[in-house]
Amino acid sequence: MWPFIKSCCWEKTKQKTSSQQANQELAEVLNQLWQLDSNRLRPGTDYIISLQGRAGYVAQGSNYARDRARAPLFTYVNEDKLKSIETYAHFINLLDNYEMSTGVSETVTSEELQENKLFINSLLETDVMKCAHKYLVRMGQSPSDPAQFKRQLYDIWFRLYHRERGGGEDSCGFEHVFVGETKFGQEIMGLHNWVQFYLQEKHGHVDYKGYKARDNKDTPDEDDHVLNLQFSCKGLVKPVGGCFIGVSPEFEVALFTIIFLMSTEKMTSVVVKVDEYKLELVVYRHGRSIGTSFPKLLSSNNRDL
């Protein structure tokens, strides 16, 4: 019996070591993506945010939240710079292609299909996505042929699926994560992207309620590139949503594609340090596509949140 116990213990230790090694490799590649993200905007220069107050508790399903932020989150964004960068320009073109309500079938026109492809093509031109592709090929998760990899990205992010039973194909990963959706007109889902947040806030559709943190000692900085936020969109309150701030579209697509392809589980969650941020990166799977993906800021500059 003893050899069996020793064998079991050895197997567990081996598995733990293997898991730690995989997490170390993942941390290394995600930090490489961070360093390669030359299209990340600079806080205080390319954009300015105003964090204001710490948001309070809101029960899931409630649409009342005390407003701890009288002013918008974004004080300034250099839109000319945004639109001059190819990936951002193609990204912004996609934001008006979707019907926000789940249960309502999406219709993809030939023009929208072309916009999707132009966006993916522009991603593959960046060092960030080239690095992610190289890593995924090495890990046996993606085809080395760029055309086949583009097809894989399309299926992960743009392939339409049923989010609500009984309806048509009403959703896709890109729409949920980057655009945002409403459920039966009663709940806001997704909307984890800073560019969409800024544009919706500018048009009066989003109302920032304050940052989320455990207590007043955990106040985030206005140069932080990851925030936990509370907001309402068209009157529907999101009690808390994690969001990168200032990062490029290619960085987010690359990062969440890697997490998605790491596992076949319904939900994958990894805790990793990227630059100065300790993050929990969460991805939900919907078949061969992303259901949702978002960052949770756990700590920054050694602040435990």
Side-chain angles (χ1 to χ4, degrees):
M1 187 165 178
W2 290 110
F4 173 72
I5 291 173
K6 280 178 84 174
S7 172
C8 283
C9 292
W10 184 80
E11 280 298 329
K12 282 183 180 175
T13 306
K14 190 172 150 190
Q15 284 170 4
K16 190 177 178 185
T17 306
S18 174
S19 174
Q20 285 172 340
Q21 188 179 344
N23 265 11
Q24 182 58 36
E25 276 192 39
L26 179 68
E28 283 173 13
V29 75
L30 297 185
N31 277 283
Q32 279 177 12
L33 299 183
W34 182 267
Q35 288 155 16
L36 289 169
D37 191 14
S38 57
N39 288 333
R40 182 169 61 247
L41 267 57
R42 292 165 298 168
T45 305
D46 299 322
Y47 68 90
I48 298 167
I49 61 171
S50 173
L51 289 169
Q52 301 162 81
R54 181 168 66 96
Y57 172 76
V58 174
Q60 194 69 38
S62 168
N63 281 316
Y64 173 74
R66 280 188 76 176
D67 200 340
R68 303 288 186 178
R70 291 184 173 226
L73 173 64
F74 285 94
T75 306
Y76 164 76
V77 172
N78 185 340
E79 284 196 40
D80 289 339
K81 179 162 185 177
L82 266 192
K83 289 168 185 172
S84 72
I85 300 169
E86 197 173 351
T87 51
Y88 285 100
H90 288 305
F91 177 83
I92 290 167
N93 283 343
L94 301 181
L95 297 177
D96 63 357
N97 287 354
Y98 296 95
E99 168 58 58
M100 275 191 92
S101 299
T102 59
V104 178
S105 295
E106 294 289 351
T107 305
V108 182
T109 65
S110 57
E111 183 186 350
E112 289 168 352
L113 193 65
Q114 183 62 16
E115 286 175 350
N116 293 345
K117 289 178 178 176
L118 285 171
F119 175 60
I120 289 177
N121 288 345
S122 70
L123 295 180
L124 265 291
E125 293 296 317
T126 66
D127 289 339
V128 169
M129 193 53 85
K130 285 174 183 172
C131 174
H133 184 206
K134 193 174 174 183
Y135 172 75
L136 288 166
V137 170
R138 183 161 61 82
M139 300 302 287
Q141 297 299 324
S142 292
S144 58
D145 177 57
Q148 288 181 36
F149 181 54
K150 287 176 187 179
R151 182 72 246 174
Q152 185 183 35
L153 287 175
Y154 197 97
D155 284 346
I156 291 169
W157 289 100
F158 291 102
R159 192 164 181 259
L160 292 175
Y161 52 71
H162 304 260
R163 195 172 286 275
E164 295 302 329
R165 288 179 187 170
E169 293 182 328
D170 59 354
S171 186
C172 68
F174 182 91
E175 177 186 8
H176 184 93
V177 174
F178 295 115
V179 182
E181 299 180 292
T182 60
K183 186 175 183 178
F184 306 127
Q186 297 176 327
E187 182 185 348
I188 180 72
M189 305 186 302
L191 213 173
H192 296 288
N193 177 260
W194 73 273
V195 176
Q196 172 71 334
F197 191 100
Y198 160 68
L199 292 171
Q200 292 300 311
E201 189 176 58
K202 179 183 165 185
H203 292 119
H205 300 316
V206 160
D207 182 12
Y208 170 63
K209 303 293 186 186
Y211 65 87
K212 288 292 289 182
R214 278 203 293 240
D215 58 48
N216 288 322
K217 290 183 293 184
D218 298 330
T219 309
D221 295 330
E222 293 185 341
D223 64 352
D224 279 348
H225 280 289
V226 197
L227 293 173
N228 300 325
L229 311 170
Q230 186 177 102
F231 62 92
S232 66
C233 179
K234 299 181 179 178
L236 304 175
V237 172
K238 181 138 189 164
V240 60
C243 195
F244 284 106
I245 306 289
V247 304
S248 70
E250 57 265 31
F251 175 79
E252 292 196 70
V253 171
L255 177 139
F256 288 121
T257 298
I258 287 172
I259 305 294
F260 173 79
L261 290 171
M262 274 178 56
S263 164
T264 56
E265 297 295 319
K266 177 78 176 167
M267 191 275 277
T268 304
S269 165
V270 294
V271 174
V272 67
K273 192 161 190 276
V274 178
D275 193 55
E276 66 185 59
Y277 309 103
K278 187 180 179 186
L279 304 174
E280 181 184 0
L281 301 170
V282 181
V283 174
Y284 281 81
R285 175 177 284 274
H286 197 292
R288 289 191 292 137
S289 306
I290 281 180
T292 189
S293 59
F294 52 88
K296 282 186 198 172
L297 179 62
L298 301 179
S299 67
S300 170
N301 288 327
N302 302 315
R303 300 191 314 269
D304 289 328
L305 298 178

